Amino acid sequence: MKAGRSPQPSGTGRVEAFSDGVMAVAITLLVLDLRVPEPEPGRSLASGLLELWPNALAYVISFIAIGIMWLSHHTMFHRLARVDHSVLVLNLVLLLCIVVLPFTTSVLSSYLDVPGQGVLAAVLYAGSFLVTSSLFFALQYHLLKRRPHLLREAPDPVQTRSILRRGLVSIPVYVLAAAAALVSPYLTLGICMALGLFYLLSTAGLGDRRTSGS
């Protein structure tokens, strides 16, 4: 490449493969928080497993959330014919946030029942999803509004609004989930679970992943 020339757009294969790998690692790390209960005198295995319910619930919520992001990311990049430097940078920042989710999940499951600590853990948990969803929306908006020439076929205005509106739903809901921690960390978990199920069920019901959000 000659000096002074900007990088030319390239295909999506490598960035998709890299993104899939990063998200696969993140979703796998979630299970590490489900530890086998240590044998203790007077405590049965069943009791030990029941004590893991906060870990299991946080695992399921985070697994669903990252899984939906993976599906939506796949759909997003399927629309692309090529990527440029701005897309690569935004995608890299998005992956940075996704990789943090196993950590915030572990923090929540560890401190959910600790007096005086559960609120901060729940705010951190919902906040990490808020930042990740905001970045996902920013990348989606960037592609549809700022870089339509990179798309295989530009969607019509109605479809574009539908895609962006669907992705935008999660942002105020995660703000609500973070605020709900002041009432109860369990309420934060409930809101995050409900949002994950909304995206999961509505995507399945649509039968068309072209309009999936994050």
Side-chain angles (χ1 to χ4, degrees):
M1 183 177 65
K2 294 182 180 179
R5 292 184 60 184
S6 59
Q8 296 299 309
S10 59
T12 65
R14 292 186 65 188
V15 66
E16 285 187 86
F18 177 73
S19 301
D20 285 350
V22 170
M23 283 187 269
V25 170
I27 210 168
T28 301
L29 288 175
L30 292 173
V31 79
L32 297 181
D33 205 39
L34 296 178
R35 302 180 182 89
V36 177
E38 293 291 335
E40 294 181 10
R43 187 183 72 169
S44 66
L45 175 60
S47 298
L49 291 174
L50 285 174
E51 291 174 4
L52 286 175
W53 76 264
N55 305 58
L57 183 59
Y59 164 77
V60 170
I61 295 172
S62 297
F63 189 98
I64 291 173
I66 297 177
I68 292 170
M69 290 177 192
W70 175 75
L71 289 171
S72 300
H73 190 275
H74 173 73
T75 301
M76 182 195 304
F77 273 78
H78 183 71
R79 298 189 191 101
L80 287 173
R82 54 197 185 278
V83 296
D84 64 8
H85 182 71
S86 66
V87 175
L88 293 175
V89 171
L90 280 173
N91 188 68
L92 197 61
V93 176
L94 173 63
L95 295 177
L96 168 70
C97 294
I98 290 175
V99 172
V100 173
L101 296 177
F103 168 74
T104 58
T105 302
S106 182
V107 170
L108 178 67
S109 60
S110 298
Y111 285 89
L112 182 63
D113 289 326
V114 178
Q117 306 298 321
V119 172
L120 178 57
V123 170
L124 181 66
Y125 183 70
S128 64
F129 281 117
L130 171 62
V131 173
T132 304
S133 295
S134 298
L135 282 166
F136 197 103
F137 177 80
L139 178 56
Q140 190 86 276
Y141 182 90
H142 183 70
L143 293 173
L144 294 173
K145 293 292 191 177
R146 302 293 178 85
R147 295 294 189 275
H149 60 281
L150 299 177
L151 300 174
R152 298 176 187 272
E153 181 180 349
D156 60 63
V158 174
Q159 187 183 10
T160 297
R161 285 194 297 272
S162 176
I163 294 170
L164 294 178
R165 184 169 56 248
R166 183 173 170 79
L168 190 61
V169 167
S170 61
I171 296 176
V173 175
Y174 281 129
V175 171
L176 176 63
L182 299 174
V183 178
S184 171
Y186 297 100
L187 185 56
T188 296
L189 276 176
I191 293 172
C192 291
M193 173 64 86
L195 181 62
L197 291 176
F198 163 75
Y199 276 122
L200 191 64
L201 296 177
S202 60
T203 299
L206 285 173
D208 184 354
R209 293 181 302 176
R210 291 179 302 172
T211 58
S212 80
S214 71

